[in-house]
Structures are given as structure tokens and as C-alpha cells.
């Protein structure tokens, strides 16, 4: 599903990732871990095409992401659900609009969108919060909205960047269970996280990054 | 177009309307800039058109006064008139008797009345007022015609074409200036509107970035802006036309009443075709600006 | 002012300059709007002033022609002239002999020359051209003066004040319209500039919010904007003055050459005081807009 | 130092905090904990005057915050350092400008600011990153910049909202040690956190919130 061949990403003299070789199969569940600044977010950004590798080749599904142009990028992204580290919610849109956007861009009818939105909201424990604006939610609630948006269109790949950073232990477990359930339905899941307790409780393959290098896999 | 595309179009239209609503001020500014530039253009064009039509009436009025020798008999004068009427350039010939001439002068020069009375009927000569065909009413043609008249024995000719010619040249200058200014106004307007739309795009940049990240196609991003631009152009055009109409109804007509009625004839409003052209210019302006601003954004988006 | 306040002022000035630089486009728009409104005002005011001064020369030209009876001797005519010169309203009296009168008419009425020649010297009467003091140069005063002349035995008077009065009324209408339009322009400009500055504030809202959260006083927030507003006003005023100068140098002077030289005398540019006033209006506009926009922000900040 | 008398905060029918009575002494170190949406951030916002209580009275130092007007609020905030849950860094300002802002508003000379900024940056482990823009930093790095800004003017109160949410275990300990050191110099410190491991390792008084109420203290 995901293959990296000698991928590097540098900003001037700063290397965010250096010479990464990696293969994640379809349906796998992987943690991406490592200290702050190790390159976890950078790896995810490469996978959804927000940045292009400085060197190397990068395949996601059937797409050669290292060569993809702006015009076709959306075809890749429609198969990927993303939970961003900084949530990336639109402040002036309600929770329902924020989550529904991922279906709007596919041309799903409004009434279908409405039903799916309230379904995923109750999955993340925010039922009835459709019409609230993100700025009126707590940090953890915003994070769960981000999770809801990522899973609404049943993506074949789910990328989650620190999806439990603002959640208490119980809630973090619940979110992990959601990700696990999605994984069981066949979705490839990559979770960047610092949370050792989480990784202990849900043991999966770990990709450990340190100083821009993949240390163990 | 399948169902999904129809739904997509619906989403896009809703986004456009929402964006117009949420950026009402900026959209109003864009429409206002379009309206202002069209208004300027419209005022200029309609001023030019009206001046042109005034000059046309003046040109029609251009006539040659050919004074008869006082020695000629009434009979001879009339036969000469017929002769001149037969010339190809001639549109109309009017015989002005001595009495007519006296009337004319009395009306124009205040205080000369009594003087003329003292002088008696013979003071002013009779004359022919010759109006030429439109296409002969230009300075060079008139000069040629005058030469022919001189050949026929008229020694005193009176034709004041100079001032009209001067004014015509001035009009042509205005016209050239107008093309230049009009071009500049349109470029400036496109620039201003592009930048205003760019502010709208800037305001929604965060939202657009996120839309792209969750799989929006480029069309999904820019179509709402294009629609917005067309609406701006439409509103701007209608505003400009209304403004032109109001200006025409108040200022122009008042001006006409106050000063120009005698020389101006009637002032005309732009005709439907010209108004349509103006609207098309406005809508294209809005569309172009939106296109430039939104594609400029796409090139920067992640 | 202690050291810390000086440093604070330094920080504030640096923020203002940085904001101008970072929002160059919006600042240019604001300055441009100010420039455009001042330009409009300036063109209008200087047109009015020039028209006024033209009318003044016309008014000065308003004179009464009093025609002598042909029977009077040269001696009698001159003594009557002195008598009229002694009247309080009289500014100047010019004696126009028969020869002078003939010259005058010949110049003005084309084709009359020969006629007059045939008539001989006695055709036109001699007259007095009486110029009144400025404050007597209004219709009612002139009428009163004319009555006095009639009482003195002049039966033929000639004074064509009507058209000038009509034009004066038109000018007064223009002046009133100008005050109205000027007010509207300034209000519209304030609105536009306020909203443009509001966009600058909006762009920096996030930064201002954070500054407030880390302990910035209200003055620290709004002073940079006020400074920015003053700079906008200054730049706008200078641009407007330059624009006015260019317009004066090209259009006005060309117009003068083409059409108006004989009636217009010289067209004047605005004087230093008027230009200063224009700049003050511009700067106040920028300041006011910045004040409104930035305090509006403060009321919304957390 | 901090006293709350029957403080409530509601948004329409939603109560973010309900009837809170609380007293934190000068120089104390307190955790604010509880599940997502319990009212932790709301409490901190009340303390720095971003929102006003719907009911009750609130004293911070000598200031009656429940009555404070916008014009005097900055006097309160100059004594409070804040680490925001969403960092609140200015995107178009360098790290140095972001951190220096807290001194700029006090009228501290530029050269002094420059020295203090590089000092606090090395405290949080980001030495030499003065001229980078926040968007080019990783999540954890941004969080440490936020910490640096909060401590730069030696505040008498430090409010930190989830200051280790984006940090790995080691880095989280380091940040906690920074907060501890500041506390030892006399600053009252309040830290909102979910991180049970952290609270175990650095045991201090815990204020547990649940459903807008203070459950234990
Ligand atoms: N656009 C950029 N320009 C310059 N440097 C960058 C840019 N993006 C990332 N970096 C640097 O690359 C390194 C890796 O960043 P990345 O965001 O991948 O870290 P991370 O593993 O996600 O850390 P965290 O756990 O703190 O989120 C960091 O040191 C960061 O400063
Ligand atoms: N401005 C607001 N309008 C409406 N509701 C709000 C507003 N601010 C906060 N809330 C609600 O108040 C509750 C408490 O929010 P708060 O941010 O204090 O939670 P928290 O304890 O910080 O949670 P987290 O750990 O997720 O950050 C939440 O349910 C939130 O949705
Ligand atoms: Mg990261
Ligand atoms: Mg919170």
C-alpha cells in the first residue's frame, strides 16, 4: 500500500527526513513514534502530498506521489483520511460543515451528508454538537471532530497525527478503539503518537524515528 | 452530467452564495469598483456621443452666405439661386432678402436697430444661404464649393466653418484621450478588483487549504469565485447603468436647460446595445479578476 | 517621558512601519481612496474658483453704454462724462467716439464693414462706456444707476447684465452642489478608508489578540494604526496634489488654449493655503478611519 | 494568590464551570485535571480575563478579575505567563518576535529583549531557532516556544494549558522541570494536563474537574 524508496526531505540544511525506506502493507496498523522534531509529521505530509520528497520515490496505493501534480492530487486525497496535529478545522464553519466537507467535495447529496455526519459524531462521542463552531469546543472535542472528519468517507488509508494529544486516558482509549475498528474493516492506519501507554495497550508495529532517520521498524 | 456532478454543482453554488454573503463588504467593494469604472466610461462615452451629435447638427447648419451685388435685379438673383440649387453639393438654398437680413442683424446686435433704421432699406445686401449635403460639409469641400461660387461672380462670401473644425479637432482629441483613458480605467479596475477578490480568497484561504486537503478538485475551489465574480460584474453593471441614468436625468438635462438648449438640441441616453456592451465589459471584468485571483491562489496551495 | 516609555514608543513605531510594509497593498488602497477623493474635491474646488474668477472679470466688464443724442456738441458730451464720473457708483467712464463705435461694430459683425462704409461716419452714435464699482455691479444696483442716467437725459442705454446674472446663479447652484457632493465624497471616503483599514486590522487581528493576551495596553494596539492612518493621509494628499498639478498643466491649460482664452483670462492653480487645507483634510481622514477601525477592534478583542 | 467564590460560567444552557470555590496560595504548584470538556481551559481563561464569570467572584493577586474592564486588563496579564492549549503563536512573526512580544509590550529595550529571548530558547532546548517561523516548526517545538514566551518575563503566576500534549516522554519531563524551577523561584504555577504519568512523577496538588464541577482538590 505504502512504499518509500530512499526518501529524504530537507529544508535547506535541516533534514526533516533522511534516506527512509519503508513498506506498509494494505490493512496494516502502524505507529509512527519518536521524539519531538524527529520527522513524524513530515512523513505523513509526504504521504498525502502536502510536500514533495527532496529525494527518493514514494508510492501510495497506485499513485506515485513523488511525481503527482496539483491537478490530480485530490484523487489521492479522496482515499486518505487525515487527522491533523493542529486539527485544521474551519473556524467559521459549524462542526457539521467541517465534517461534511470531506463528502461535499465528492458530490454526495446533502441529506446523505447530514446522516453520515451525525453517525460519525456519535462514534466520537459528540452527538448533537452539529451546529457548534469549533472555537466553542474544548481542545479534546476539537480533536475528536478532526477524527470524525477523517473517518467519514471510509478511506482506504487513515493518517492520524497525535490524535490523542489533547485527550484524557479514557477518551484516548476510545479513539484508539475507533481507529482499531476502522483498521479491522480493511483500512491501512498510521498513527503518529508519543503516548507510550497507548502503544503498550494496543500493541502494533512501531516505526521509530530519531533525528530524521527511521531507527527501527 | 450524472447525479453526483449535479450534487457537486449544488454544493459549489451554495459555497458561492455563502461566500458572497460572508464577504459582503469586499464583494460590495469589487462591485463598486466595477460600477465606478463603468460609470466613468459611460459618462465619457455618452458625453462624447452627445458632443458628436451636437457637432453633427452644427455641421448640418454650416452654410455659406453669398451676398449679391446690390445692382442685380430680383429676377437675376432668383435665377442665380436656381443655378446654385442645381449644383450637386447643394442641399438647400434659401434666398435672404434685404428685409430678412435686417431682421437677422437686428436680432443679433443689440442697439443696432435704430442705426439701421436711419440707414434705410438698402443698407444690407440680399444674399443666398446655401446649405451643403452632409458629406460636403467638411472644411476642404466647403472651400472648393466657395471657389466655384466665386467663379460664378459672387465676390462676397461668408462661411464660418473654422470654429466648428476646431471643435471637431478637439473632439477627436477627446476621443483619443477617451480610448487611452478608457483602457487605463479598465486596467486599473481589473487590478483593483483582482486585488479585492484576492482579499476574499485570502479570507477563505484557510478554508480552501483544508478543502484541498480533504480532496477538493481545483474546479471545486475556483468555481465559486468565478460565480462570485460574475455576480459582482452584474451588480456593478446594473449600478453603473442606474447611476448613468440618474446623472442623465438630473445633471445633463439641467445643464441643457440652463445653458445649452439652443446649441445642443436633445441630449441622448446610451442605447440598449451600448448598455449591453457596458454590462458585458463589467461582467468580463469581474470574471477575469476572479479567475486571476483564484488561480493565483491555487498555485500557492499545498 | 522615562526610558521605558521611549523604548515602548520605538517598538510601536517599528510595528507601524512593519504593518505598512506587510499590508502595502491595503495601505496603498487606503491612500488611493484618500487621493481620489481629494482629487475630486480639488478639481471641483479649483474649477469653481476659476469660474468665479472668470465671472469676476465678466462682472468687472459689466458696463453701461449710454448713447448720446447726435445733436449734442463734443463739448457737451465731455462735460456729461465728467458729471457721470463724479457719481459715487462710477468706477470708470470711457468716451466712445463715433469712430470708435464703428471700429467696435466692424470687429464684431462680419460683413458689416462695407455696409457701414456706405453709410458714412454719422451712422453710429457716440456713447459713454461706464464701468461701475464692484459692489455696484449687481443687477439691482445697475438698474438703479440706469434710472439715474435716464433722469439725466440719456434715452438710449445698453446694459447686458442678464446673462452674467444667469451664469452667476448657475455658479451658486454649482457651489451648493459642491458642498453637498464634497460632503458626500468625504463621508464615502471615510467609510471606504475605514473599511480598508479595518481589513488591515482584520489581517493583524490574530497578532493583536495575542499581544493583548501577553499584556499589551490599548495604546500599544491602536497607536501603530493611527500612525499608519496619518501616513496614508499624507501619501494620499501628496498624490492628490501631484494629480491636480498634472491635470492643471495638461487638461486645463490645453482647454484654455483651445476654447476659452478670450473669455477666461488665466486659469489659476490652488494656492498654498488651499493645498495645505486639502492635506489636512486628507490626514484627518486617514487618522479618523484608523481610529474608528482600531477602536472597533478593541471592543471585540478578548 | 487566586481565589474563586461560587464561580460559574455558562454558555446558554451549557455550563463550562459550575459553582467553583477555590483558593490557590502564592507559590503553590497545582494540576488542573479531568476529562476532555470538563472546564479546565475555561478556568484558565477566567483567570487571565479572556472571559468573565457568569456568576461569582474571582480574585487574582490584588485584582478583582470578575469586575475588570478592558482598559486595565493588561496590568493583570503582565503578571501572568500563559501557555495556550493551541499555542497562539503569530504565524508571520519569527520565533524571536513571538517570544519577545511579551517584553515589547512592557517597553523593554530591543537589545535586552534579544538576550532574554536566546536565554529562554536554550532553556526549552531550541537554541539558535530565533529566526524560524512557527509554521516551520514541529508541533512539539511550537509548544516549547509557547512555554518560552510564558516564562520570559518572570511572571508571578504561570498558567499552562496542556503544555506537554505534543511532547514525548523525555521532553515532557524536561518542560515539567522548567515549570518546577520557576515555581521554586516563587511563581504560582497552574498546569492543566491529562498526563497521569507526569502527575505521578511530579506529585503536587490536583484540582480534578468533571462535568464543569470541581470534584476534588
Ligand atoms: N517547512 C519547514 N521548514 C523548515 N523546517 C521544517 C519545516 N517543516 C518541518 N521542519 C523541521 O523538520 C523537523 C521535523 O519536523 P516534524 O514536524 O516532522 O516533527 P515531528 O516528528 O512531527 O515533531 P512533533 O512530535 O513535535 O510534532 C523539525 O525540526 C522542524 O523544525
Ligand atoms: N465559547 C463557548 N461557547 C460554547 N461552549 C463553550 C465555549 N467555550 C467552551 N465551551 C464548552 O465548555 C466546555 C468546557 O470547555 P473547556 O475548553 O474548558 O474544556 P477542557 O476541560 O479544557 O477540555 P480539553 O481537555 O478537551 O481541552 C466544553 O464542553 C465546551 O464545548
Ligand atoms: Mg508533528
Ligand atoms: Mg482545554
Amino acid at each position: 500500500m505504502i512504499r518509500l524508496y530512499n526518501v529524504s526531505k530537507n529544508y535547506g540544511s535541516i533534514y526533516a527526513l533522511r534516506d527512509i525506506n519503508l513498506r506498509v502493507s494494505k490493512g496494516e496498523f502502524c505507529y509512527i513514534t519518536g521524539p519531538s522534531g524527529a520527522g513524524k509529521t513530515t512523513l505523513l505530509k509526504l504521504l498525502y502530498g502536502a510536500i514533495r520528497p527532496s529525494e527518493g520515490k514514494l508510492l501510495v496505493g497506485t499513485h506515485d506521489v513523488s511525481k503527482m501534480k496539483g491537478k490530480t492530487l485530490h484523487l489521492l486525497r479522496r482515499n486518505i483520511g487525515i487527522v491533523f496535529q493542529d486539527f485544521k478545522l474551519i473556524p467559521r464553519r459549524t462542526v457539521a460543515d467541517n465534517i461534511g466537507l470531506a463528502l461535499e467535495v465528492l458530490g454526495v447529496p446533502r441529506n446523505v451528508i447530514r446522516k453520515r455526519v451525525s453517525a460519525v459524531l456519535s462514534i466520537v462521542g459528540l452527538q448533537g454538537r452539529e451546529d457548534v463552531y469549533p472555537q466553542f469546543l474544548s481542545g479534546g472535542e476539537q480533536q475528536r471532530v478532526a477524527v470524525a472528519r477523517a473517518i467519514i468517507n471510509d478511506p482506504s488509508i487513515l493518517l492520524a497525527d497525535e490524535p490523542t494529544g489533547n485527550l484524557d486516558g479514557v477518551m484516548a482509549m476510545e479513539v484508539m478503539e475507533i481507529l482499531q475498528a476502522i483498521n479491522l474493516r480493511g483500512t491501512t492506519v498510521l498513527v503518529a503518537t508519543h503516548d507510550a501507554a497507548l502503544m503498550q495497550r494496543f500493541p502494533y508495529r512501531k516505526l521509530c524515528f530519531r533525528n530524521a532517520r527511521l531507527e527501527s521498524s | 452530467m450524472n447525479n453526483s456532478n449535479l450534487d457537486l454543482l449544488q454544493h459549489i453554488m451554495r459555497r458561492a452564495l455563502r461566500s458572497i454573503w460572508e464577504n459582503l463588504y469586499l464583494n460590495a467593494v469589487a462591485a463598486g469598483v466595477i460600477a465606478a469604472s463603468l460609470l466613468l466610461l459611460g459618462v465619457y462615452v455618452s458625453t462624447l456621443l452627445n458632443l458628436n451629435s451636437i457637432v453633427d447638427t452644427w455641421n448640418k447648419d454650416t452654410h455659406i452666405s453669398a451676398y449679391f451685388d446690390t445692382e442685380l435685379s430680383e429676377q437675376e438673383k432668383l435665377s442665380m439661386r436656381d443655378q446654385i440649387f442645381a449644383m450637386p453639393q447643394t442641399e438647400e438654398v434659401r434666398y435672404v432678402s434685404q428685409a430678412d437680413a435686417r431682421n437677422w442683424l437686428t436680432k443679433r446686435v443689440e442697439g443696432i436697430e435704430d442705426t439701421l433704421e436711419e440707414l434705410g432699406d438698402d443698407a444690407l445686401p440680399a444674399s443666398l444661404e446655401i446649405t451643403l449635403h452632409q458629406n460636403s460639409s467638411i472644411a476642404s469641400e466647403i472651400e472648393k464649393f466657395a471657389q466655384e461660387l466665386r467663379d460664378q461672380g459672387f465676390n462676397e462670401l461668408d462661411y464660418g466653418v473654422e470654429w466648428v473644425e476646431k471643435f471637431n479637432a478637439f473632439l477627436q482629441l477627446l476621443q483619443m484621450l477617451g480610448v487611452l483613458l478608457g483602457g487605463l480605467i479598465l486596467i486599473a479596475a481589473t487590478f483593483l478588483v483582482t486585488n479585492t477578490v484576492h482579499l476574499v480568497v485570502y479570507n477563505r484561504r484557510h478554508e480552501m487549504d483544508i478543502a484541498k486537503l480533504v480532496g477538493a478538485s481545483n474546479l471545486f475551489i475556483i468555481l465559486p469565485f468565478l460565480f462570485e465574480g460574475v455576480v459582482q460584474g452584474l451588480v456593478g453593471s446594473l449600478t453603473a447603468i442606474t447611476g448613468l441614468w440618474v446623472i442623465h436625468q438630473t445633471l445633463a438635462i439641467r445643464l441643457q436647460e440652463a445653458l445649452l438648449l439652443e446649441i445642443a438640441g436633445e441630449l441622448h441616453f446610451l442605447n440598449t446595445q451600448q448598455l449591453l456592451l457596458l454590462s458585458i465589459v463589467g461582467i468580463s471584468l469581474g470574471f477575469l479578476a476572479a479567475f486571476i485571483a483564484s488561480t493565483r491562489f491555487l498555485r500557492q496551495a499545498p
Side-chain angles (χ1 to χ4, degrees), chain A, chain B:
Chain A
M1 198 70 184
I2 297 172
R3 287 172 209 194
L4 278 76
Y5 301 101
N6 300 98
V7 168
S8 292
K9 177 68 189 178
N10 65 312
Y11 300 99
S13 63
I14 297 172
Y15 272 81
L17 283 177
R18 199 190 282 266
D19 202 25
I20 307 293
N21 283 287
L22 179 64
R23 177 184 287 251
V24 178
S25 325
K26 190 161 159 47
E28 231 183 314
F29 195 116
C30 278
Y31 290 113
I32 302 169
T33 186
S36 168
K40 303 181 293 300
T41 301
T42 304
L43 174 63
L44 296 180
K45 279 186 181 165
L46 282 171
L47 293 179
Y48 60 79
I51 54 178
R52 242 150 288 278
S54 313
E55 279 168 52
K57 196 172 171 182
L58 181 67
L59 301 176
V60 176
T62 55
H63 303 282
D64 182 349
V65 183
S66 42
K67 280 187 188 151
M68 258 180 138
K69 292 269 172 59
K71 276 183 191 163
T72 50
L73 218 46
H74 65 279
L75 298 175
L76 166 71
R77 288 177 180 165
R78 288 174 181 187
N79 291 317
I80 305 182
I82 316 169
V83 184
F84 301 96
Q85 190 168 11
D86 55 356
F87 314 153
K88 292 208 192 296
L89 301 176
I90 306 167
R92 286 180 305 173
R93 296 276 168 271
T94 61
V95 165
D97 280 349
N98 266 288
I99 299 175
L101 184 61
L103 295 180
E104 254 188 42
V105 300
L106 301 173
V108 175
R110 286 186 75 185
N111 50 342
V112 177
I113 292 182
R114 211 171 309 139
K115 277 179 210 148
R116 297 283 300 273
V117 165
S118 62
V120 290
L121 271 181
S122 57
I123 290 179
V124 298
L126 288 173
Q127 51 275 33
R129 295 293 196 104
E130 275 92 345
D131 298 328
V132 181
Y133 289 88
Q135 72 212 72
F136 301 144
L137 291 176
S138 79
E141 288 162 348
Q142 289 179 31
Q143 194 153 44
R144 284 178 278 155
V145 172
V147 171
R149 182 181 57 191
I151 64 176
I152 196 169
N153 65 340
D154 273 323
S156 55
I157 301 178
L158 184 74
L159 308 176
D161 200 350
E162 211 83 58
T164 60
N166 287 275
L167 299 177
D168 55 297
V170 179
M171 192 62 77
M173 295 300 163
E174 282 177 23
V175 166
M176 274 304 293
E177 276 160 16
I178 296 168
L179 299 182
Q180 214 174 19
I182 287 175
N183 177 243
L184 287 175
R185 278 191 276 162
T187 298
T188 313
V189 179
L190 272 78
V191 180
T193 186
H194 295 294
D195 196 332
L198 217 66
M199 292 188 275
Q200 225 162 21
R201 175 112 177 221
F202 299 85
Y204 287 111
R205 178 182 174 199
K206 278 187 213 169
L207 308 170
C208 284
F209 287 82
R210 182 175 298 271
N211 290 331
R213 290 189 188 277
L214 181 55
E215 275 209 325
S216 69
S217 142
Chain B
M1 184 177 276
N2 60 29
N3 248 357
S4 157
N5 274 349
L6 249 171
D7 281 312
L8 200 56
L9 202 69
Q10 236 179 60
H11 291 313
I12 288 172
M13 292 303 282
R14 268 195 313 118
R15 306 191 126 241
L17 292 177
R18 196 163 54 182
S19 172
I20 291 175
W21 175 248
E22 287 178 349
N23 296 286
L24 211 51
Y25 167 65
L26 283 176
N27 277 292
V29 168
V33 170
I34 294 176
S37 14
L38 292 185
L39 197 68
L40 274 177
L41 278 184
V43 165
Y44 201 89
V45 165
S46 86
T47 306
L48 266 189
L49 288 176
N50 273 307
L51 281 180
N52 259 332
S53 90
I54 289 171
V55 170
D56 272 359
T57 29
W58 285 345
N59 270 340
K60 256 194 220 120
D61 269 10
T62 307
H63 54 245
I64 298 178
S65 300
Y67 296 96
F68 288 108
D69 255 336
T70 26
E71 287 113 53
L72 291 174
S73 73
E74 198 76 8
Q75 195 57 41
E76 282 170 314
K77 289 175 188 170
L78 289 174
S79 96
M80 274 179 99
R81 182 194 65 180
D82 296 340
Q83 220 171 310
I84 285 164
F85 188 62
M87 286 169 71
Q89 300 100 316
T90 314
E91 163 120 3
E92 199 189 318
V93 177
R94 197 163 62 86
Y95 174 66
V96 180
S97 69
Q98 288 179 320
D100 294 339
R102 220 187 83 185
N103 270 340
W104 185 89
L105 191 63
T106 321
K107 264 191 206 139
R108 265 160 192 77
V109 186
E110 248 179 290
I112 206 166
E113 211 166 3
D114 309 326
T115 320
L116 288 174
E117 229 157 62
E118 283 168 25
L119 300 172
D121 284 349
D122 265 6
L124 294 165
S127 63
L128 289 179
E129 299 265 313
I130 307 159
T131 310
L132 300 182
H133 283 303
Q134 188 111 34
N135 49 359
S136 302
S137 289
I138 51 169
S140 61
E141 285 295 316
I142 292 173
E143 192 52 58
K144 234 163 69 190
F145 186 78
Q147 196 49 51
E148 289 183 45
L149 288 182
R150 283 196 197 90
D151 294 344
Q152 289 199 5
F154 284 98
N155 289 322
E156 279 205 57
L157 295 174
D158 201 9
Y159 48 101
V161 83
E162 205 180 312
W163 189 72
V164 171
E165 283 299 308
K166 212 167 164 182
F167 196 81
N168 247 331
F170 177 73
L171 264 191
Q172 262 167 17
L173 185 86
L174 274 188
Q175 240 155 17
M176 270 163 44
L177 253 174
V179 171
L180 201 86
L181 264 176
L184 279 180
I185 287 175
L186 282 183
I187 292 171
T190 310
F191 178 80
L192 271 177
V193 177
T194 303
N195 280 287
T196 312
V197 175
H198 197 66
L199 289 177
V200 178
V201 176
Y202 185 87
N203 263 344
R204 305 185 56 206
R205 174 188 35 138
H206 192 56
E207 179 175 354
M208 297 294 107
D209 279 344
I210 292 174
K212 287 224 77 179
L213 288 174
V214 301
S217 64
N218 283 351
L219 220 56
F220 188 88
I221 303 289
I222 67 169
L223 268 187
F225 290 114
L226 298 185
F227 180 77
E228 223 172 312
V230 169
V231 170
Q232 285 164 7
L234 208 65
V235 171
S237 305
L238 292 180
T239 311
I241 289 172
T242 312
L244 283 173
W245 178 246
V246 169
I247 288 175
H248 180 74
Q249 287 296 315
T250 56
L251 193 71
I253 287 184
R254 197 149 303 172
L255 212 99
Q256 193 175 21
E257 276 171 8
L259 285 178
L260 293 167
L261 191 59
E262 302 98 46
I263 55 162
E266 211 179 320
L267 291 176
H268 296 288
F269 192 55
L270 295 172
N271 65 32
T272 319
Q273 211 177 339
Q274 289 157 340
L275 292 178
L276 213 67
L277 196 73
L278 210 66
S279 306
I280 290 173
V281 169
I283 291 170
S284 311
L285 216 158
F287 184 85
L288 187 70
F291 186 78
I292 295 173
S294 58
T295 52
R296 196 201 285 168
F297 164 79
L298 275 187
R299 265 178 275 119
Q300 298 164 352

